[in-house]
Amino acid sequence: MTPRLTLINRDYTRLWFGQAVSSVGDAVFSTTLVLWVATVLAKGESWAPLAVSGIVMASGVAVLVIGPLAGVFVDRWDKRATMLRSEVLRGALVAVLTVITFLPAGALPAGVWLALIYVTVLLLHAAGQFFSPARFAVLADLVTGDADRARAAGIAQATGETAWIIGPPLAAPLLFTVGLQWALLFNGLSYAVSYIAIRSIGAREPGTGSARPAAARGSVERQRGALRKEFMDGLRFFAGSRFLVALLLLAVIGQFGAGALGTLNVFFATDNLHADAHLYGYLGMSMGAGGITGALCGGRMVQWLGARRTTWIGLLVSGVLLVAYSRQTGFLGGVALLFAFAVPLTMLNTAMSPLLLAAAPPDYRGRVMAVFYPVTRLASMLSAALSGWLAGSVLRDVGGSLGGLRFGPVDTIIAASGLIVLLAGVFAMAALPDTGAGKAAARAGEDTAAPADPADPADPAAKERQDAEVVAHHDDGELSARATDRSDDPRPTDG
């Protein structure tokens, strides 16, 4: 037999390849739009930070408006077909924008260009709200077992960060040498590659195939369930899980703190680090390299420290490093600190992913992610809007020195963001379940998941994964009991 590269299994490898190419395209697309708006369309304008933040806000609006409902539909629909249709739509949207950008920048007013970009970004992310939960459900079917799921989470993190090593350095040369349209075309082709890869995945029950599971086919009440009722069931399930709520609050605080970096980093690079705009992509590359390092080390750190400790330590360290980054005045120092900042940040993402999977039962995965993604994106959107508004208006003329340290509007906002990430670490120390899951196990009648002594040297990662499963099973049991009292089943018609 001819040896072939296989990650976990064949279908997962195909899914991974398609998403790897698409992620590189997304990195090129995002970096190109930020650079073009900041250095070409709004060059020298006081409203440039707000214009860049509008890109983040456009994506956030799609997440907030479409995201919560998308999960309900994804739970009903064929997951693989949903992914394929999303890729077709996103590829077509990028193709249309690419054709328009063959016009000279001066051919249309700046407001019209911004409107075209914002609408395209909004529609791309609206389609993504169906793609992400569908992929989440497909991944749960393709990869089983905690060990393989943790490995898949690490691979996904490393792949995503690799895309940000490759993408941003490609974006700047494409933009400044061959033009905006060719950078956009690159992203459009990446969606085509992703479509082919997803189409090659074999159909599986219950999430990836077109046939419905027997339990779904046999329930007439489930098939007639109203959209609003299923949506509310998803909200009740999420709100009833202390574990999911703790993860969500933690992600919100962290996103709100770090969100400003995505909006202001291009201005920080040119104004504070005194770097040419052509070098901006290397800042993204350094974060990508740090993300790979964090993804590769994340699994080992979770084994040593447990998911809970890895999470709060990662946030505390990330917050300190972000504050330190805000004080940099040299490009190389900024590159080094962004690399260091991304390492613990990615470690905690790697730690949270398998816990989130374990806490989301199959019938509710789409709706769980449809709550988690929009709320965290709302935090990111508010952070981007607030930071862009502050830098472009309220704090525009702020500057001076304190204790020998010079400060301006952009570095002050980034430093404040670092302090918010520090607060997220403090919140994680207090809020993430430690022994509480054992109490849930007792109520659910699970005698095998007694709470461990916090000082117990036994494997903390395995213990916390078990806790997550117990919490998920306990919450699912409570929801089933409530559903029985209403004489109708809240679960979707398609698992």
Side-chain angles (χ1 to χ4, degrees):
M1 293 180 60
T2 302
R4 294 181 298 177
L5 174 64
T6 300
L7 301 174
I8 302 179
N9 59 58
R10 186 188 63 180
D11 283 340
Y12 173 79
T13 302
R14 293 175 176 177
L15 180 63
W16 165 82
F17 176 76
Q19 288 309 289
V21 175
S22 181
S23 295
V24 173
D26 290 341
V28 171
F29 181 80
S30 300
T31 306
T32 299
L33 289 184
V34 169
L35 276 174
W36 190 74
V37 170
T39 64
V40 178
L41 190 63
K43 184 178 182 180
E45 300 289 347
S46 62
W47 45 266
L50 192 59
V52 172
S53 69
I55 298 174
V56 180
M57 292 176 63
S59 65
V61 168
V63 174
L64 293 175
V65 175
I66 305 298
L69 296 177
V72 178
F73 287 108
V74 170
D75 280 338
R76 292 180 170 193
W77 293 345
D78 179 279
K79 311 302 186 293
R80 179 168 165 268
T82 300
M83 295 172 68
L84 291 171
R85 291 165 187 153
S86 298
E87 295 300 69
V88 170
L89 177 58
R90 293 196 285 187
L93 288 168
V94 172
V96 171
L97 182 62
T98 300
V99 171
I100 296 174
T101 56
F102 275 95
L103 292 172
L108 297 173
V112 175
W113 279 116
L114 287 176
L116 287 171
I117 291 172
Y118 295 162
V119 169
T120 301
V121 170
L122 188 150
L123 293 177
L124 283 173
H125 282 81
Q129 298 318 295
F130 294 92
F131 183 91
S132 294
R135 183 180 183 276
F136 182 78
V138 168
L139 182 63
D141 291 335
L142 297 181
V143 181
T144 58
D146 283 341
D148 280 343
R149 284 178 174 176
R151 183 185 172 198
I155 291 172
Q157 287 287 330
T159 302
E161 301 302 340
T162 302
W164 281 94
I165 289 180
I166 299 172
L170 281 177
L174 284 172
L175 174 62
F176 294 116
T177 58
V178 298
L180 173 65
Q181 58 273 13
W182 299 105
L184 301 184
L185 181 62
F186 183 93
N187 190 36
L189 293 176
S190 74
Y191 286 126
V193 173
S194 176
Y195 176 91
I196 294 171
I198 296 168
R199 192 172 179 83
S200 69
I201 296 174
R204 294 188 180 189
E205 297 280 1
T208 59
S210 58
R212 295 181 176 181
R217 293 194 304 268
S219 175
V220 176
E221 293 295 328
R222 207 176 306 171
Q223 294 173 6
R224 295 178 178 175
L227 174 65
R228 180 180 178 183
K229 185 180 76 64
E230 293 189 14
F231 174 61
M232 294 305 298
D233 274 325
L235 289 180
R236 280 193 291 268
F237 171 78
F238 199 106
S241 170
R242 293 189 304 273
F243 194 83
L244 287 173
V245 170
L247 288 177
L248 177 63
L249 290 176
L250 176 61
V252 164
I253 299 174
Q255 282 285 342
F256 196 87
L261 193 62
T263 297
L264 300 180
N265 207 27
V266 62
F267 304 102
F268 185 82
T270 54
D271 298 341
N272 295 73
L273 300 182
H274 311 292
D276 189 271
H278 291 73
L279 299 176
Y280 170 68
Y282 290 99
L283 292 176
M285 178 179 176
S286 68
M287 289 193 69
I292 290 178
T293 304
L296 294 177
C297 298
R300 180 66 63 182
M301 292 301 296
V302 170
Q303 288 181 349
W304 287 346
L305 302 176
R308 178 178 180 272
R309 291 188 182 91
T310 301
T311 299
W312 67 258
I313 291 175
L315 283 167
L316 291 177
V317 174
S318 297
V320 170
L321 291 172
L322 188 55
V323 173
Y325 175 69
S326 72
R327 306 312 316 149
Q328 295 305 298
T329 57
F331 182 71
L332 292 180
V335 168
L337 274 172
L338 275 186
F339 170 85
F341 167 72
V343 173
L345 200 65
T346 310
M347 282 185 182
L348 68 93
N349 288 336
T350 302
M352 290 174 64
S353 294
L355 296 180
L356 189 59
L357 267 175
D363 283 345
Y364 289 89
R365 282 176 183 144
R367 280 168 286 178
V368 164
M369 299 313 295
V371 173
F372 198 89
Y373 283 155
V375 175
T376 54
R377 285 306 299 270
L378 173 62
S380 179
M381 183 182 71
L382 291 176
S383 177
L386 181 61
S387 60
W389 174 69
L390 289 174
S393 58
V394 177
L395 301 180
R396 183 178 60 187
D397 299 321
V398 170
S401 62
L402 180 64
L405 296 176
R406 297 190 60 82
F407 61 89
V410 173
D411 55 86
T412 298
I413 295 171
I414 293 177
S417 298
L419 293 176
I420 294 177
V421 175
L422 273 172
L423 290 177
V426 175
F427 172 79
M429 292 175 61
L432 281 184
D434 190 7
T435 59
K439 296 178 182 178
R443 291 197 302 270
E446 299 284 352
D447 297 327
T448 61
D453 187 346
D456 191 348
D459 180 7
K463 186 262 181 191
E464 294 192 39
R465 285 194 299 269
Q466 184 183 41
D467 286 349
E469 292 175 354
V470 170
V471 171
H473 295 163
H474 170 64
D475 293 332
D476 196 25
E478 286 184 344
L479 187 64
S480 298
R482 292 193 296 268
T484 302
D485 293 339
R486 292 197 306 269
S487 76
D488 57 346
D489 196 328
R491 288 175 292 182
T493 58
D494 190 355

